[in-house]
Amino acid sequence: MTRLLEAQPVRSDGKLTIKSLAEEAGVKRWVLTHRHQDLQAEFRDRIAAHGTDPEPVRALKERVETLTAENRRLREQLRETRSTIAMLERHIAVEALESNRAPAAPTPARTLRPVPEPVQPAEEPPSDPKG
């Protein structure tokens, strides 16, 4: 019990459970749950008095909480992305329908203008190398 409570397990995973206590003691779990219920009760009392999980268990619980929050954030982002995609699909469908529809009134022809030629800069006189 002491090794588990001090987060220094030798034979178990370090969790504060009856299963880990049995592994740490080198006995079958049923021995603690049926034959030595007094040890089981003492272990639960010591856990309550100790109040915290061992460091490896606490670290794993924090990691689970972090990953759960990240998962929640990614699911929300996915939901928003799917919503945006659906909206864009509707816009594309409307644009496609409007482009296929015959115009009600003829539009005036647009005139094309030529692109102006780029202006060539005037040549500069050669500079005096003597300064």
Side-chain angles (χ1 to χ4, degrees):
M1 281 187 223
T2 306
R3 287 195 308 253
L4 285 176
L5 292 171
E6 292 176 354
Q8 297 174 345
V10 174
R11 299 179 186 160
S12 69
D13 57 7
K15 294 180 182 176
L16 298 178
T17 62
I18 298 301
K19 178 183 173 196
S20 295
L21 177 61
E23 288 175 2
E24 197 65 30
V27 298
K28 303 267 184 197
R29 183 174 54 94
W30 67 268
V31 172
L32 290 177
T33 58
H34 297 313
R35 281 196 187 160
H36 299 288
Q37 293 180 358
D38 57 325
L39 292 176
Q40 180 180 353
E42 179 185 345
F43 183 61
R44 292 189 194 282
D45 291 341
R46 288 179 67 180
I47 290 173
H50 189 262
T52 60
D53 289 326
E55 180 59 30
V57 175
R58 191 177 55 74
L60 288 174
K61 284 183 178 180
E62 288 175 3
R63 180 77 175 140
V64 166
E65 289 174 10
T66 302
L67 291 174
T68 302
E70 177 70 8
N71 188 359
R72 192 175 305 116
R73 185 189 66 78
L74 290 173
R75 285 179 182 269
E76 180 59 31
Q77 184 181 7
L78 178 63
R79 220 178 345 268
E80 291 172 2
T81 303
R82 285 181 175 164
S83 174
T84 302
I85 290 171
M87 180 203 49
L88 292 174
E89 287 174 340
R90 288 190 298 272
H91 282 287
I92 291 170
V94 168
E95 290 292 327
L97 288 173
E98 288 179 354
S99 69
N100 289 337
R101 187 174 62 180
T107 57
R110 297 182 183 197
T111 58
L112 296 177
R113 294 179 292 141
V115 176
E117 293 290 325
V119 178
Q120 296 292 333
E123 286 190 32
E124 296 181 16
S127 61
D128 186 17
K130 294 178 184 173

